[in-house]
Amino acid sequence: SLARVNAFFTGKTGGFRVSAPKPGRPVPVTSRHSKLHVTAQGNGRFIVGGNWKCNGTKASVEALVKGLNAGDIADKVDVVVAPPFLYIDQAMGALHPKFKVAAQNAWVEYTLDDPTHHYDSESGAFTGEVSAEMLEDLQIPWVILGHSERRSLLNEDNKMVGKKVAHARFHGLSVIVCVGETLEERESEKTLEVIFAQLQAVADEIDDREHSSWGSQVVIAYEPIWAIGTGKVATPDQVQDVHAAIREWLKLNVSEEVSKATRIQYGGAGNEKNCAQ
């Protein structure tokens, strides 16, 4: 079942239970800590997904796909899974069409200066990388960009992530772009400063003038880095505060239309014990 997926991002937030809403209609939300009313935003569809990271074998992917296909998916919910590159073809060939597949990364030539913000390279001399053109050719509809592991382990900075998002969007890919702060940044009260800088790098590269669909095709996954694989979990209030700040930032710095259309996810660790919360 989906509960067994090593969930990376989820349309359900923190300790909340959320039912499928009508856009703009307040949804009662209950947690162990507080009772809130959250206004449903985005395109009216929730999004749930699992990033399989660098895990899997042919046998385990087969078993996981079998479990996913046997599950029931509610209406107005998009489910996206991100297998390692080597297993994307196996997953796409076996998954029910109700599931969509994402790549875990796409390359962009970092030093390329392109005023059109397309960032198509004239050379393929990037050993070990996978391009957005390849994902487009294979009809892989989604890609995860800016994941904290790539930012921290591979030194992908905000500028590179922004270029990657623009390049992927130019080739028709829907993007889950990850933003989030470290524990040190949160304790220093720099959470929003860090996240807004990450968002600005994306906004600098894609905007309504050329990529008018970015509000519906670019999903923002707020992943507090300190809550990934550490046993720590962001509280519902912490998540909602950041989500609200992100949406307000989009309104003020991109457009009200994009702010309303963009889906924002919680990207902390999910598992079979907390996924129902």
Side-chain angles (χ1 to χ4, degrees):
S1 70
L2 280 175
R4 294 190 177 95
V5 176
N6 178 20
F8 155 61
F9 42 82
T10 174
K12 296 178 180 178
T13 305
F16 298 152
R17 294 177 183 269
V18 183
S19 58
K22 295 181 179 179
R25 182 176 180 179
V27 180
V29 180
T30 303
S31 78
R32 293 185 301 273
H33 308 290
S34 61
K35 292 185 178 181
L36 304 172
H37 279 78
V38 178
T39 301
Q41 298 287 349
N43 63 5
R45 297 184 63 85
F46 288 110
I47 182 166
V48 179
N51 177 16
W52 301 0
K53 302 191 177 184
C54 191
N55 296 297
T57 63
K58 289 176 64 176
S60 67
V61 169
E62 180 180 359
L64 181 53
V65 167
K66 183 177 180 180
L68 289 168
N69 286 341
D72 294 327
I73 304 301
D75 294 335
K76 293 188 177 181
V77 176
D78 294 325
V79 181
V80 181
V81 298
F85 281 118
L86 288 175
Y87 300 113
I88 284 180
D89 185 64
Q90 179 186 356
M92 288 185 66
L95 278 168
H96 188 279
K98 61 189 175 183
F99 299 101
K100 303 301 180 185
V101 170
Q104 295 180 19
N105 181 45
W107 171 252
V108 73
E109 188 174 353
Y110 181 75
T111 58
L112 188 63
D113 184 19
D114 184 357
T116 70
H117 303 283
H118 297 163
Y119 299 109
D120 281 338
S121 300
E122 295 182 0
S123 169
F126 306 109
T127 300
E129 295 293 346
V130 175
S131 70
E133 293 94 326
M134 293 175 180
L135 301 181
E136 179 187 29
D137 184 48
L138 293 175
Q139 298 182 324
I140 298 169
W142 286 86
V143 61
I144 300 171
L145 298 173
H147 191 280
S148 62
E149 290 165 1
R150 296 197 62 88
R151 290 181 188 263
S152 61
L153 299 177
L154 298 172
N155 297 317
E156 292 188 0
D157 61 17
N158 293 343
K159 183 177 181 180
M160 172 173 273
V161 174
K163 286 185 174 183
K164 283 188 172 188
V165 174
H167 185 51
R169 286 297 305 126
F170 177 65
H171 286 280
L173 302 176
S174 295
V175 177
I176 297 165
V177 58
C178 306
V179 299
E181 81 284 13
T182 65
L183 181 59
E184 180 181 2
E185 289 164 342
R186 171 164 281 276
E187 291 179 341
S188 299
E189 299 184 352
K190 294 182 178 180
T191 293
L192 297 185
E193 176 185 340
V194 170
I195 291 172
F196 292 167
Q198 293 167 339
L199 293 173
Q200 187 64 59
V202 175
D204 286 344
E205 297 291 348
I206 59 172
D207 56 43
D208 283 348
R209 288 170 296 183
E210 182 171 0
H211 303 282
S212 58
S213 62
W214 91 287
S216 58
Q217 300 303 119
V218 177
V219 173
I220 297 172
Y222 167 54
E223 50 158 6
I225 299 170
W226 49 272
I228 301 176
T230 63
K232 298 179 181 292
V233 179
T235 68
D237 286 342
Q238 287 173 321
V239 173
Q240 287 297 321
D241 286 346
V242 173
H243 280 201
I246 290 173
R247 199 169 298 284
E248 182 66 14
W249 187 94
L250 291 172
K251 178 181 177 181
L252 296 176
N253 294 275
V254 183
S255 73
E256 185 172 3
E257 181 182 3
V258 166
S259 174
K260 290 180 178 179
T262 300
R263 290 181 289 182
I264 305 172
Q265 302 173 302
Y266 172 61
N271 54 51
E272 61 188 29
K273 295 181 179 179
N274 67 17
C275 69
Q277 294 180 328

